[in-house]
Every structure is written in structure tokens, then in C-alpha cells.
Amino acid sequence: MARVTLIRHGKAETSKLGVQDFDRPLISRGQINASAVGAFLATHRMLPQLVLVSPSARTRETYEFIKPHWPDEIAVQFVDQLYEASASTLLQAIIDYGGDFSDIAVIGHNPSLVVLLNHMVGDGHAEQNLGYFPTCCMADIGFVAPKIRDLISDGGRLLSIKRARDL
């Protein structure tokens, strides 16, 4: 089964005059939550083979706090088009970069993550509020496909969703 884990970046500083959105760093809560996400995924053996990371400061920093909990052999790609991406651009990057892998994770931004999540799993999850995807939220989606390149984009099944406050 192919798996895609969507992870929203940790809580970042609010916008400030003179600081570009791209350059906003994590606040301490965002750092703590990102570390908790990394530990949770490792503890529950939900590790990806490849991580795709938006190049913004807050997504890079989220990855840096997740990474110490994971083995060194997990590949990482910083992908420019993940910043301010549409859900369709995000999906295309997942397929392009993740093609031969069976398990990948994406550290990115809303609204593309939440829109893609809802597209991938459809509306069969009324018990979950899939419109609420706060910072450091992660969703694990499984597909009946051996590799990422073989997945049907709207054929996913929500395996789990965790919000930082639940960890």
C-alpha cells in the first residue's frame, strides 16, 4: 500500500512589518509540536522513505525539529513549488518526486494541504472535521497502489489524523 503523510508546518511568528511571509520562523510552541510529530511518527512506525519540504523558513525548521527522531537514511527534497502551491501543484509534486517510493511525507502549508487531503479521501469521513488542519497537524492517507506513481489521487483512505494538541 502506498502512503502519503501530509504535515502542516509548526506554529510560526505572526506577520511583521518588514518580514516576508516566506521568512517567518517557528515560535517555541511550533518547535515543541514539530518535535512531538517526529517522535509520534517514529514511535508508531509511520516513517516515510522520502520527505518533501517547502523551502519556507517555517517548513524547513519544522523538518529540522522532526528529523532527529528519524533514521538518517530517510531522503529529503526541498521543493520550491510547494510554497504557495495549489492543491493540484502539490499533488503533481507528490507524484513527480515520490514516483518509485511507497511512503512519502510532505511538510507544507494550508490551504493546499487541507484541500488535497479532502480530495484524496473524499467525503467518507463525516466523523472527522477534515476542514480543520491546524499547524503541526498530520494526516496519513493510504492508497491501494504499490508505489506513489500508481496512486489514484481521489482513491485514498484516511488511516489517521493527529493534531498537535492530541500528541
Side-chain angles (χ1 to χ4, degrees), residues 112-123:
S112 60
L113 288 174
V114 72
V115 171
L116 183 58
L117 168 62
N118 281 278
H119 170 75
M120 286 179 154
V121 301
D123 55 3

Side-chain angles (χ1 to χ4, degrees), residues 1 5 12 18 20 33 35 42 62-63 74 91 95 99 111 116 123 125 127 131-132 142 147 151-152 154 156 158 162:
M1 168 178 25
T5 304
Q20 298 289 326
N33 290 346
S35 182
T62 297
Y63 172 70
I74 294 175
L91 175 62
I95 292 168
L116 183 58
D123 55 3
H125 299 281
E127 72 282 358
Y132 181 59
K147 303 283 183 191
L151 66 80
I152 297 170
D154 61 352
L158 184 65
K162 291 288 181 192

